[in-house]
Amino acid sequence: MQKKYLLAPGPTAVPPEILLAMAQPMVHHRSKDFEPIVASVKEDLKWLFQTRQDVMILASSGTGGMESAIANTLSPGDRVIAINGGKFGERWVKMCQAYGLLVDEVKVEWGTAVDPAAIEQRLKRDPAKAVFVQASESSTGVAHDVKRLGEIVQNHPGTLLVVDAVSAMGVFDLKTDEWGLDVVVTGSQKALMLPPGLAFVSLSEKAWAAAEKATSPKFYFNLKRERDNIRKNTTAYTPAISLIIGLQKAFELLKPEGLDGIFARHRRLAHATREAMKADGLELFAKGSPSDALTAVKTPEGVDAEAVYKALRDQYGITTAGGQDHLKGKIFRISHMGYADTFDVVTAVAAVEMVLKGMGHAVTLGKGVGVAQEILLNKS
Ligand SMILES: *Cc1c(COP(=O)(O)O)cnc(C)c1O
């Protein structure tokens, strides 16, 4: 037997309370067994998103939520700006192209955050119907400054800011209404501690106005239909009933901690992980603005990051993530989002040290662990 630990940036570990809640016998969605559950989670989603707007619940992975954002607010031929600083930024570009949008792609060096001033200049020079960005780019472990982008885009009445917050919502502060985030998308399998299968999308009044004019084809992902339904505590089609029951349980676990508590926990875990990796002589991949959702770690010259990732998994049962594209073999990524706490970090750091030592690399066992423990110590 080998005990398994899931420390990947999605899907993330699911608490036993949620697993048990989801194991209940099936109920019918058009019934009093289920509608009160929708009524409760829809309010909690507004709390999580920090919005007064409706948050639509879709049965899809996060990418489906991203697609719904495009299909519902834009039309073929629209000019848009897509910020591409990693695999998920690249996904925005490809999806926009699939919908016949004219994409002005802003390539950002992987590991760095976009310079909002560059977006401001582009918008002044050439108007765009939307700016697409990741709040947290999970392939590089970088957070883009969506607050600043919101300030910029709010000065352009014809432009929407569309935010992929799949690995950001419930990790760090995202004030949807206050910051002018027009479309915000998240998914169930990251900070919400659920299995994959749900996407959540909010639209600002500005985005709903754009939706009135958008002519892109859509059927399943028709957000107006979903809004009409969620207002009646239901969904247009059969919802992922078990996952929504799990979501209610997730909110039961998260709400007592409060948004500030949730953000502080992620900040603390991220800080401890980063400092521990540095103490072990490893370099962080994110230059500047690291995301609190995950830590991308560079391996030293001559140490294959893919081998580290595989040894963590095969020798110690710990699933992290490797690097994608040109980062394959160069980085591995440790998640600390969602159902994560002190000993997930301690476990991850200890295992990285053991793997590196096992590979013959010069590392002092316990050095990074000690640094993490100092940071995570409850000083009461
Ligand atoms: C996980 C993730 C997604 C969604 O991917 P799916 O596999 O479709 O759920 C989108 N964006 C980011 C930044 C992510 O981390």
Side-chain angles (χ1 to χ4, degrees):
M1 193 208 77
Q2 186 185 50
K3 185 167 176 178
K4 301 239 173 154
Y5 304 81
L6 184 55
L7 301 177
T12 62
V14 179
E17 295 93 321
I18 293 182
L19 292 170
L20 284 170
M22 292 190 308
Q24 293 172 61
M26 193 48 52
V27 292
H28 198 276
H29 55 297
R30 317 268 184 221
S31 80
K32 290 285 161 270
D33 291 331
F34 190 64
E35 283 164 9
I37 296 172
V38 176
S40 107
V41 298
K42 78 176 184 186
E43 291 310 318
D44 293 339
L45 283 165
K46 291 179 188 179
W47 165 79
L48 177 73
F49 274 59
Q50 304 187 62
T51 184
R52 284 183 306 275
Q53 302 293 328
D54 300 291
V55 181
M56 276 66 68
I57 305 172
L58 304 171
S60 78
S61 82
T63 305
M66 293 166 75
E67 180 153 348
S68 80
I70 296 172
N72 284 270
T73 62
L74 294 157
S75 307
D78 281 349
R79 186 178 171 280
V80 299
I81 292 172
I83 296 164
N84 176 359
K87 276 316 267 185
F88 291 100
E90 185 183 288
R91 189 169 298 175
W92 272 139
V93 172
K94 287 184 179 164
M95 285 174 59
C96 287
Q97 286 167 344
Y99 274 82
L101 308 182
L102 303 178
V103 185
D104 178 7
E105 179 179 357
V106 178
K107 281 208 167 137
V108 179
E109 189 199 333
W110 287 31
T112 66
V114 70
D115 174 12
I119 303 301
E120 188 168 27
Q121 279 165 14
R122 262 183 214 238
L123 274 176
K124 278 193 185 141
R125 200 175 57 220
D126 238 340
K129 290 275 167 126
V131 174
F132 289 88
V133 70
Q134 271 61 41
S136 163
E137 171 53 76
S138 314
S139 65
T140 62
V142 166
H144 292 299
D145 187 354
V146 292
K147 183 180 183 195
R148 182 74 197 109
L149 289 169
E151 285 166 2
I152 291 164
V153 172
Q154 274 180 304
N155 291 324
H156 295 264
T159 310
L160 301 176
L161 179 59
V162 184
V163 180
D164 166 0
V166 179
S167 66
M169 185 62 72
V171 176
F172 53 83
D173 201 11
L174 283 177
K175 297 191 196 301
T176 300
D177 289 356
E178 197 178 314
W179 296 356
L181 315 180
D182 292 301
V183 186
V184 179
V185 180
T186 196
S188 53
Q189 80 275 28
K190 309 280 171 95
L192 283 172
M193 317 185 290
L194 291 163
L198 291 178
F200 310 96
V201 189
S202 73
L203 270 68
S204 66
E205 273 165 33
K206 193 174 163 188
W208 282 119
E212 290 298 328
K213 301 197 196 93
T215 62
S216 293
K218 56 199 150 282
F219 187 86
Y220 183 66
F221 291 130
N222 185 328
L223 294 179
K224 254 172 76 182
R225 273 200 72 176
E226 292 299 345
R227 181 178 63 172
D228 293 343
N229 278 281
I230 194 98
R231 286 181 174 175
K232 292 180 272 180
N233 300 328
T234 188
T235 52
Y237 309 103
T238 311
I241 294 169
S242 306
L243 290 172
I244 292 174
I245 290 169
L247 178 62
Q248 185 183 37
K249 183 56 82 174
F251 281 127
E252 264 178 57
L253 299 175
L254 290 172
K255 282 178 70 187
E257 194 179 10
L259 287 178
D260 288 342
I262 293 167
F263 303 151
R265 170 166 52 87
H266 285 94
R267 207 177 308 126
R268 191 169 69 241
L269 299 179
H271 176 55
T273 307
R274 289 175 205 138
E275 293 308 312
M277 290 293 95
K278 286 195 278 182
D280 283 331
L282 297 167
E283 214 183 303
L284 306 181
F285 183 68
K287 301 178 195 82
S289 173
S291 166
D292 288 343
L294 72 150
T295 299
V297 183
K298 261 164 83 169
T299 45
E301 273 304 307
V303 181
D304 179 10
E306 211 54 18
V308 174
Y309 156 76
K310 284 187 182 147
L312 284 168
R313 184 191 62 195
D314 300 338
Q315 292 176 25
Y316 298 107
I318 297 174
T319 299
T320 56
Q324 294 162 287
D325 287 359
H326 65 277
L327 295 181
K328 204 175 168 94
K330 305 272 188 256
I331 66 166
F332 61 94
R333 295 172 292 149
I334 303 168
S335 163
H336 26 72
M337 80 178 123
Y339 190 48
D341 214 334
T342 300
F343 291 95
D344 296 290
V345 169
V346 169
T347 299
V349 173
V352 168
E353 290 176 350
M354 289 159 81
V355 161
L356 289 174
K357 178 133 190 163
M359 290 167 79
H361 186 66
V363 63
T364 308
L365 290 181
K367 192 167 178 197
V369 170
V371 167
Q373 284 173 310
E374 281 294 344
I375 292 169
L376 298 169
L377 188 69
N378 275 323
K379 300 185 184 86
S380 55

